[in-house]
Amino acid sequence: MEPWQWDEAEWRGRVEHVRAGRSLKPASWPGGARCAVALSFDSDHETNELRDGGNSIGRMSWGQYGARRGIPRILSVLGRESVPATFFVPAVAALLHPDEQRRVIAEGHEIGLHGWIHELNSVLPEAVERDLHFRAADQLEKITGIRAVGMRTPSWDFSPSTLKIQRELGLIYDSSLMADDDPYELVEDGVPTGIVELPVEWIRDDAPYFNMDRFKGLRPHTPPPAVLDIFIREFDRAHEEGGLFLLTMHPHVIGYRSRIFIVEELIRHMKARGGCWFATHAAVARHCATGPTAGR
């Protein structure tokens, strides 16, 4: 049937299958901080081309740039500023660049699940999606020695089966959905799951501002200083509200000479503002899951 032919049970069931539950915005952040800052980098590397079955050497070299130049620049900034971050890594990218993952962990950062080959979950049968997520979790653990506790689905593509699989994996958080600015509990078919959602948003993602489609003549139209201004305004309001500022970035996007200053100046701005708890996604999720909430 067409969507306009669905009965109420059908459209309501689709809407209510996975929903935002109670707010998990904490009553306070560690150390009396005003807000939490969770910086994240999706280390897709060559998988952006591979997941589409492509064989473009040019596109794969773009992904390699993320590993070859982007990651070192990012880790240098984070190390200089003593700021922890979370890196979401497809298993195939981790297999291509295992030493990178070990360095990320050794320098005090977190690695989270990001699919097997940056596949789209919503087009996969449930059994296939489950197999890929479990294989990815096993492979990342084999490389890093640490079992991932959180997931960001590739392209934020969350299928009707994803939450069920996350529960089977024993994850404590997801960071793929957009129902709030601040953390909340995921509810599946009306039942609270205990999984913390650390919400994302395209506004707080570098890719929409800088990506391009070379065959359609579409080029980035937002200059880097304007992107920095958007991120700062998002942070300032999160700080004012005492909430979470979560930013999604990509080594092959933000890691260029003309863009890395965005990360540097944003961190300087946040430190100058004061009252920020810089933490990995796992640390934020654990704090939100265990402490009293703000009661919103």
Side-chain angles (χ1 to χ4, degrees), residues 162-223:
T162 301
L163 181 54
K164 177 183 177 182
I165 296 167
Q166 290 177 335
R167 297 175 74 179
E168 293 171 4
L169 279 164
L171 301 185
I172 66 172
Y173 78 86
D174 174 75
S175 186
S176 316
L177 303 177
M178 311 182 187
D180 204 322
D181 299 302
D182 295 310
Y184 57 88
E185 184 176 17
L186 288 177
V187 172
E188 187 172 28
D189 295 324
V191 179
T193 66
I195 292 182
V196 179
E197 180 63 36
L198 303 179
V200 293
E201 222 301 314
W202 293 112
I203 296 170
R204 290 177 279 107
D205 186 312
D206 59 358
Y209 302 110
F210 296 129
N211 274 351
M212 58 172 280
D213 187 326
R214 57 183 174 157
F215 295 119
K216 295 182 180 179
L218 300 177
R219 298 293 183 268
H221 64 277
T222 310

Side-chain angles (χ1 to χ4, degrees), residues 38-42 84-88 152 175 200 204 246-250 281:
L39 302 181
S40 58
F41 299 88
D42 293 1
T86 297
F87 293 75
F88 293 99
R152 172 167 293 155
S175 186
V200 293
R204 290 177 279 107
L246 187 154
L247 185 62
T248 300
M249 294 169 284
H250 301 76
H281 284 45

Side-chain angles (χ1 to χ4, degrees), residues 221-241:
H221 64 277
T222 310
V227 176
L228 172 62
D229 182 69
I230 292 168
F231 290 167
I232 284 176
R233 290 175 186 272
E234 283 283 322
F235 162 75
D236 284 347
R237 184 58 61 94
H239 190 278
E240 177 184 325
E241 296 177 352

